[in-house]
Amino acid sequence: MALKEHQSPSGGLNAAGRKHHGVKAPVNKGTNPRRVSFAARFAGMKGPMKDEKGKPTRKALALRKWGFGSVAAARNFASNNKKS
């Protein structure tokens, strides 16, 4: 779980959080294997896209950061670009 100081308000991790957890920045376009993998993982993730106040959840913000508008968009992208 990311600490608050590692979270970017626009979704995902900020530079300090990425350094702390040893991960790379999101890839928001193209068919990069990391993006396909992210889409496949998040396509099956349960949970709402908006909280009880109508604000986007961390899940929705992360999807947007990676260039997906919805779980369905991530699912379609993953299924069309997955190598078998």
Side-chain angles (χ1 to χ4, degrees):
M1 193 75 179
L3 299 173
K4 285 284 185 189
E5 66 254 15
H6 293 157
Q7 292 181 351
S8 169
S10 61
L13 298 172
N14 59 23
R18 288 194 301 271
K19 183 177 179 185
H20 177 78
H21 292 286
V23 296
K24 297 179 182 178
V27 178
N28 60 7
K29 54 187 162 194
T31 57
N32 183 300
R34 286 180 55 237
R35 187 167 186 244
V36 175
S37 176
F38 171 86
R41 284 194 318 273
F42 269 65
M45 187 175 275
K46 294 183 192 249
M49 292 291 280
K50 292 190 184 259
D51 65 10
E52 61 279 348
K53 296 179 183 175
K55 290 182 171 181
T57 59
R58 299 299 299 175
K59 171 185 164 184
L61 292 172
L63 281 165
R64 191 175 309 145
K65 200 65 135 173
W66 282 81
F68 302 107
S70 66
V71 172
R75 184 178 300 116
N76 289 338
F77 178 82
S79 65
N80 290 338
N81 294 293
K82 225 182 219 181
K83 293 184 179 171
S84 35

